[in-house]
Amino acid sequence: MDKTKTALDELRMLMLGAQILLGFQFQAPFQNAFSELSFLEQGVEVIVLCLMVVVIALLITPSARHRIVEQGEATPTFNDFVTRVFLLTLAPFALALGLDLGVAMTRGAGISVGIVAGMIGCLVALGMWYGPILLRDGNGDATMATSDEKTPTAAKIDYVLTEARVVLPGAQALLGFQLAIVLTNGFAELAAPAKALHCLALGLVALATMLLVTPAAYHRIVYGGADVAEFYDVATRFVLVATVFLALGLAADIHVVIGKVTKNPNFANATAAATALVLLGFWHVWPWWEHIRRDVRGRDDKL
């Protein structure tokens, strides 16, 4: 059970780092100097935004899987899944960080310095994050609860609250961007449909944020912080519903940002649709499919 809590805490740490880049990528096109960037630099910013969407999608996937597939249980399967997600997430995160460093350094010290700084930043991140693989001695798989051992209610409540804290920074970064850009000249220049879409996205992400904060308030006010199984079920629903609104809000604002940068509505439509499909697929379709598959397999084993 301790390994499950540690895995969730580690996901939260990575999310706290990712939210900084996510927030910047959304805000950058609305800054006054963005129009001064070269076509290549603007293209790099679009690529980084797409990479950060993939990073966020991967980081929230374990929380959704834990709620839906594992039913909040501490299992070796879930711990292994988090490890695989980490290995997949760190590479695009390092690439996004390196690309953003390259653009920033180019603006401050010239293109040669920018290219070198970006490459060094990416390689250092990859070395530091994947280097520990070389030090692994195969003794890391400590004994933990099997799927037949039930996780205590107190631990399951701790897990669901931690998972809400994993998702919340992503919503927080997006909500901060959405509120801030309405005061920029770049937002004022948007067409009316884009402004309306942004307002819709703002409402969706605000609702997602409210839903993610509700379990803490509910637990404290209704149950006085007690470990009650009924609260665990309620909190699970809040977290899962919040991810639906977060996915839709993120996809809607992807459309706004990509449309502003590329001036190509077809590309913006395709990117937004792909974002919605990836996020909802990772956070709901895949976990629910796996959940149903396990149930069917379990019934077949009993026959």
Side-chain angles (χ1 to χ4, degrees):
M1 287 183 287
D2 287 343
K3 292 181 71 174
T4 297
K5 180 62 165 62
T6 300
L8 294 174
D9 286 338
E10 289 165 349
L11 284 172
R12 186 183 172 209
M13 290 175 64
L14 198 51
M15 177 64 84
L16 290 173
Q19 71 166 337
I20 299 172
L21 278 188
L22 180 68
F24 170 75
Q25 295 312 137
F26 274 106
Q27 291 191 41
F30 294 89
Q31 300 302 315
N32 295 333
F34 187 82
S35 59
E36 300 175 7
L37 295 179
S38 67
F39 177 78
L40 178 60
E41 289 171 323
Q42 291 186 8
V44 168
E45 292 300 328
V46 170
I47 292 171
V48 174
L49 175 59
C50 294
L51 287 171
M52 291 314 300
V53 169
V54 172
V55 168
I56 297 299
L58 288 169
L59 289 177
I60 295 178
T61 297
S63 297
R65 183 184 180 88
H66 198 212
R67 297 293 96 224
I68 297 170
V69 180
E70 307 294 345
Q71 301 290 291
E73 296 289 336
T75 65
T77 302
F78 175 71
N79 191 68
D80 292 341
F81 182 79
V82 173
T83 300
R84 291 195 296 271
V85 167
F86 254 73
L87 292 173
L88 287 173
T89 303
L90 292 174
F93 192 2
L95 180 57
L97 182 58
L99 289 172
D100 257 347
L101 285 174
V103 172
M105 291 295 185
T106 296
R107 301 297 296 170
I111 188 169
S112 298
V113 174
I115 292 174
V116 173
M119 293 178 62
I120 291 175
C122 180
L123 292 174
V124 169
L126 289 172
M128 294 180 68
W129 295 346
Y130 286 103
I133 294 176
L134 302 176
L135 304 178
R136 194 164 54 183
D137 58 7
N139 296 324
D141 298 326
T143 303
M144 66 181 294
T146 66
S147 58
D148 295 330
E149 296 176 334
K150 293 299 180 182
T151 303
T153 298
K156 294 176 76 172
I157 289 174
D158 191 18
Y159 297 158
V160 72
L161 291 175
T162 301
E163 286 162 353
R165 294 197 296 271
V166 169
V167 182
L168 186 57
Q172 170 189 332
L174 192 55
L175 184 61
F177 147 76
Q178 291 173 319
L179 293 171
I181 69 158
V182 298
L183 303 177
T184 65
N185 293 331
F187 183 79
E189 296 168 358
L190 290 177
K195 290 181 179 179
L197 185 59
H198 175 75
C199 290
L200 173 61
L202 174 58
L204 290 169
V205 176
L207 183 54
T209 302
M210 295 174 201
L211 288 166
L212 290 168
V213 173
T214 297
Y218 200 92
H219 192 215
R220 185 54 41 193
I221 296 171
V222 177
Y223 296 106
D227 299 327
V228 180
E230 180 183 352
F231 165 72
Y232 165 77
D233 295 332
V234 171
T236 293
R237 296 189 190 101
F238 277 124
V239 172
L240 290 177
V241 172
T243 60
V244 175
F245 290 111
L246 179 59
L248 295 176
L250 183 55
D253 258 336
I254 284 286
H255 188 288
V256 173
V257 173
I258 295 296
K260 179 172 176 56
V261 175
T262 66
K263 312 297 184 188
N264 186 330
N266 292 329
F267 184 63
N269 289 336
T271 307
T275 298
L277 290 174
V278 168
L279 297 181
L280 292 173
F282 276 21
W283 299 347
H284 286 274
V285 176
W286 182 19
W288 281 114
W289 175 80
E290 181 65 22
H291 174 70
I292 294 171
R293 193 168 68 90
R294 283 193 181 185
D295 279 353
V296 171
R297 188 169 60 219
R299 287 195 295 268
D300 290 342
D301 290 342
K302 290 179 181 179
L303 297 178

